[in-house]
Each structure stands twice: as C-alpha cells, then as structure tokens.
Amino acid sequence: MQLENGKYLLSGGVDPLELGKKYQLPLYIYDSAVMKRQYDRMMNAFDVPKIKVNYACKALSNINVMSLFKEFGAGLDTVSVQEVELGLKAGFHPRDIIYTPNCVSLEEIEEAVALGVRINIDNTSILEQFGQVHPDIPVCIRINPHIMAGGNTKISVGHIDSKFGISFHQMPLVHRIVEATGLKVEGLHMHTGSGILDADVFLSGAEILLNIATEFHDLDYLDFGSGFKVPYKEGDVETNIEELGKKISKRFRHFCKEYGKDLTLIFEPGKFLVSEAGYFLAKVNVIKQTTSMVFAGIDSGLNHLIRPMFYDAYHEISNISNPEGKKRFYTVVGYICETDTFGVNRKIAEIHEGDVLCLHNAGAYCFTMSSNYNSRFRPAEVLVYEGKDYLIRKRETMEDLLKNQVELPVFQKVESAR
Ligand SMILES: *Cc1c(COP(=O)(O)O)cnc(C)c1O
C-alpha cells in the first residue's frame, strides 16, 4: 500500500477505503500484484537448471489465492489432506502438490497417496509402516538438520527436541528401513521454521542436506523448505533472498555436477509470498483514555487476527482514514472478552471514532488462524487482481455459526413451553 497525494492506495490505484465501504468491515484485502512481485523475486534469485517454488498454502488457503499461484507456475506445499483437496480443487496437478504432514496417521497418508500427490514422510515409524505397504510409491524424507531459526520458539522447528523431521543423526536407521522395505526415495526435505534472518544459517542447513543426499542414488529433487523473513516494520531485516539465491545456486550447481544429475531445487515459502500482500481493515469503535494511555478499540479482535497475541508478532497499524493527521500514541485493542492487544503505544495518525485502521502484513497466518471465538463471524476476503476487486470469501452469518450444531429436542421443548 502506497501513500499517494494524501491517500493510501493498493496496486492499480485501488482505494482500500472504497473496498471497506463496498464489502463492509472488518475486511481482509489481498493485493495479487504483491504476491506476483514476491514470486518473481524468488524465481529470479536462483540460477539453477531446475527450480520450483511451492506455495505453502497454510499461510493463506483461499482457493483463489492457490489458483493465482498455479497461474504463476508455482507448485503447492500442503500439511493436511484437506489442503491437498483444496489444492486439487484450485487446479493443481497432483504431482505439483507435496504433502508434508507432521504426526498424522498412516490412514491420512493413504488418502493423500490415493489422490496422487507427492508424499513427504517425517518420522521413521511411519516410514517403516509406509515402506511395507507401498514400496512402489516414491517418497520424500523430511530431515531435521537441527538448525535453530526464528525469534520465537513456537515457530522454530529445527531444534534438537523438535517434533518435526527425522534427525540427521538417525540416518543409519533411515537407510536400514529403506533397504529393508525397498522404498524409492525421490526427494529430501528440510524446513527449519519461520523467520530465518541469515543466509549463512540457511546454508549450513543446506550443507547438511546435501551431504545426506550423496547417500541416496535415485533422487529427483531437494526441497530446502522455507522460513524466509519479511519486514513487518520499518527498519526490519528481511531475508536477503537475492544473496541467498546466489550462494545456494552456486553450491547446488556444484552438487548436481558431482551427483551426475540435475536435481530440482525446491523452496516452499508461505510468508514470503503472501504476508506483505495482505491488509486487514477494521473500524474504530471507541477511543478510551485511561490514567496512563489512550486506547483505540476496534471492531475486531484475536478472533480475526491472533498473531500479536499468539506470537507477540508486530503488525504495523495505520489510520487510513486520516493518513496525514498528527501522530499520537495509541494502544490498539480488540473487542474480545480477554486481553487482545494489537499494538502498544503505537505512533499513529490521530484517530477518531469511526476511522478505519489498517493492519499490515495480514496476508500470512491471519485469516487462516481466525476463529469464531465469542461467537463472532469471520470477515470477508477480497482479492485485488489487475486493478479490479473480487470478493473471494463471503462474510459469515448466523447460519454459519449454527450450521453444524445439533439442536436437541429435549431443550427445544423447554423453549416451546416458555
Ligand atoms: C509452514 C511451512 C512452510 C512455510 O513457512 P513460511 O515461514 O510461511 O515460509 C513451509 N514448509 C512447511 C513444511 C511448513 O510447514
């Protein structure tokens, strides 16, 4: 979103305030031009014979967003069989979908096999069971290189006691299972968590994976996962994807030469592709002055955007109704009957009741983590595509809240007696 002539505008000159009026608030808006820019950056950063970017759709799983990435030429990274089904509905070819679950049942993996997608196995127990029933289905193996990444333990998945992946110390066991079952290993995978700052940290993980790769002779691809960091506020460091691309590409080309085959280099970013493309708009209900601060209470809460409360995530907040107003300090809070603070003592252009606030970086892990807590409806989602706006999810209604609730006759009697 750019500030132009005193107005915040999306790509193609689309006015977010107009979208707020048209679709009502609170509202999620996604700017597809930003997604395209990030996808192109990723593709251009790597100079290897075969590169594939799989969009990690748990970040934002609206099927239109998935279809958009399909149009760009991306594959899909999924973590549940339901995401697989959404991906197929969005038009992805099964072979362009990789299924990377954690701690799911063999039955769920079987469902994914039946749908024809690529299977990534992340523990030796399932690997052994799977190999016995499906020695003919090629698999990818998720390795944990124990690289620490991310500022928050909730999103760091590479540490030694992490539940994700097979420890690289257990490779002898993996080889024994592969030999005993006759499994074909077509790929190796690592994903060390969200928020990697440093290209060199990433490279040391990659180095471990490349070393392990030399022990497998039938590989088609190596998947280096994701965890790329994007800026959430001014001055934030972001993953230097261009620098990382140069370093990894050089190393990867060298590896392929030694391996004797051009493997596909895969990445599976979620946040990097969609975070900055998303905006969450909500109206200010109340301005409330206490002894020590000024609260701006918005018509939303942790039910719609939980990252600040769940991860202490920082989301930039702007008053798009008064872009050039004098800056003052506000603590922005939600309406949920629980502490739901979006930001403390933020410098924001003067806020009046009825103004529309915009939370930035609302593309990744925002709508997908929303809930009906306090029996509130989930908001609508709008996609801005080639200068036009499209409703891609309707706002919920009372019907949605009641849809799967079963009203017991015994209680209905009480009501009719009233
Ligand atoms: C969540 C996830 C991703 C995406 O992570 P980001 O930090 O959003 O880029 C990639 N791969 C796997 C296996 C994941 O679980």
Side-chain angles (χ1 to χ4, degrees), residues 300-306 335-340 369-378 396 401:
S300 177
L302 60 79
N303 51 324
H304 294 155
L305 200 157
I306 201 174
Y335 57 22
I336 291 293
C337 295
E338 199 154 322
T339 304
D340 58 344
M369 285 190 171
S370 65
S371 74
N372 290 121
Y373 189 43
N374 281 202
S375 296
R376 298 279 183 184
F377 305 140
R378 265 177 288 225
E396 286 180 336
L401 287 191

Side-chain angles (χ1 to χ4, degrees), residues 326-353:
K326 196 166 92 195
K327 299 262 171 148
R328 303 189 59 183
F329 289 95
Y330 297 93
T331 291
V332 178
V333 294
Y335 57 22
I336 291 293
C337 295
E338 199 154 322
T339 304
D340 58 344
T341 305
F342 289 103
V344 178
N345 270 325
R346 296 291 187 81
K347 224 169 137 181
I348 302 171
E350 182 153 5
I351 305 176
H352 306 99
E353 290 175 357

Side-chain angles (χ1 to χ4, degrees), residues 56 58 77 79 100 142 189 191 194 226-227 268-271 365:
K58 75 173 185 289
D77 182 72
V79 293
T100 302
R142 179 171 185 172
H189 168 273
H191 170 68
S194 272
S226 172
E268 44 185 40
K271 185 184 280 185
Y365 308 108

Side-chain angles (χ1 to χ4, degrees), residues 42 46 145-150 189-210 222-229 239-241 243-245 247-249 251-252 265-269:
M42 192 87 212
F46 297 93
H146 305 308
I147 299 296
M148 275 296 284
H189 168 273
M190 69 169 205
H191 170 68
T192 51
S194 272
I196 296 177
L197 271 175
D198 191 5
D200 291 329
V201 173
F202 200 93
L203 271 161
S204 55
E207 205 53 49
I208 292 171
L209 202 71
L210 291 173
L222 290 178
D223 185 336
F224 287 96
S226 172
F228 307 122
K229 203 173 157 64
T239 306
N240 187 335
I241 201 81
E243 180 201 338
L244 181 75
K247 289 185 173 172
I248 293 255
S249 302
R251 182 64 187 93
F252 193 77
L265 175 60
I266 301 180
F267 289 95
E268 44 185 40

Side-chain angles (χ1 to χ4, degrees), residues 216-236:
F216 292 86
H217 305 294
D218 258 335
L219 294 174
D220 292 324
Y221 59 90
L222 290 178
D223 185 336
F224 287 96
S226 172
F228 307 122
K229 203 173 157 64
V230 298
Y232 275 72
K233 58 173 181 284
E234 224 176 281
D236 256 3

Side-chain angles (χ1 to χ4, degrees), residues 63 66 76 78 82-93 97:
I63 54 167
M66 292 192 204
L76 200 68
T78 60
Q82 290 80 10
E83 281 187 356
V84 168
E85 288 185 47
L86 287 176
L88 292 171
K89 205 169 165 53
F92 283 92
H93 188 277
I97 299 179

